[in-house]
Amino acid sequence: MKHVFPTYTRFPIDLVQGKGTIVTDGAGKKYLDFTSGIAVCNLGHCPENVTVAVQKQLADIWHTSNLYESALQDSVAELLVGEDDKLVFFCNSGTEANEAALKLARKYTKKDKIITFEKSFHGRTFGSMSATGQAKIHQGFGGLVPGFTYIPYNDIEAFRGAIDENTAAVMLEVIQGEGGVIPANAAWLLEIQHHCKKVGALLIIDEVQTGIGRTGTLYSYQHIGLDPDIFTLAKGLGNGLPVGAMVGKSELSSAFGPGSHGSTFGGNKVVLAAAKEVLTTVKQTGFLEEVKAKSEYFRDLLEAKCANLASVTSIRGEGFLIGIEVACSADSVVSNLREHGLLILTAGSNVLRILPPLTVSYDEINQAVSLLATALENELIGSEKR
Ligand SMILES: *Cc1c(COP(=O)(O)O)cnc(C)c1O
């Protein structure tokens, strides 16, 4: 690519069409997409009902600015919060949702200190980048936003030592996605929540990757029954249209009054038409039950066919957010699989990250696991030859 900044290492294919789990490149070659565009196209590519809803909105009106009322924003917000006494701020991406959360937490608590975790990922803008506990992401960008403290994940003692009366918020992912598909320990999470309440710090959960059904519940914090003050969404919310949201308890609204924060495109009608249809689908009776059943089937099959291979160190994750830690090069497995028609991702140098659409079929799961097992077996033979 000649005319675009080289900020990404790109795979050498251009996907020009997609339907469900199948994508097609410019040369007409088909692939099983077990990346969902990084946990974005949770309902697969071009789902019929979302396409129809967006096309209808495109014919009605695209954009009105947040200087006017929006019944559509209210109905998407209602789908997001359900029965809870919570409010929503709409934005356009994950990093923006986290910016909103960090700003709200500081303004509401009138405190500065924010605790986040090593290997976390919260986005690339200055605030979210400063929240991200990875030196390689900070490198070269000069002074960060002050006030962030990074501590080891899943470490109760480190947390007890870090939280105090000056803490505005603790921000975390329930499963660290970019950091290597690392699930949080439930007891550790409950301990964090307990200490937050005790010192008046807000618990912020970054659900950008784990939300919208990805782990088998609408939000991943529901597995542990947490009660976050704020959580953030983006990736899967619009199934590929750019929309993010920050959801917070209603009592925080005093700090987010008129003029305090905003976004020109936030809550845009076209992307919210998509979000409304996505949420309606995911919240339909039986949808998440089926995700749970299919993802358990997937996990069992992976355990049966891959766990014992010499190239596999461990299999972890929840629902359709799966990490396979490998003793070989993860990049080499990904390239090999791409040649054989299966797209997956990595998280770091030694973890395969697998994120099929929630709508994936049992047959597609069977095909993918068989390709994976073969690739992982060949990887071992390759390294033995060397
Ligand atoms: C992807 C991601 C983000 C950043 O989202 P963008 O839409 O790329 O800004 C933030 N947090 C988590 C957990 C993510 O996975």
Side-chain angles (χ1 to χ4, degrees), residues 220-232:
S220 66
Y221 72 77
Q222 293 171 320
H223 287 289
I224 301 121
L226 293 173
D227 175 31
D229 298 289
I230 297 174
F231 64 92
T232 55

Side-chain angles (χ1 to χ4, degrees), residues 119 179-180 311 313-314 316 323-331 346-352:
K119 293 193 180 170
S311 51
T313 313
S314 79
R316 54 193 187 232
I324 303 182
E325 189 173 323
V326 290
C328 53
S329 152
D331 285 335
T346 58
S349 61
N350 66 340
V351 179
L352 305 175

Side-chain angles (χ1 to χ4, degrees), residues 93-96 98 121-123 173 178 206 208-209 234-235:
S93 66
T95 200
E96 283 178 55
N98 289 334
F121 183 78
H122 299 298
E173 301 152 90
E178 305 295 318
D206 181 341
V208 171
Q209 187 152 167
K235 294 198 164 91

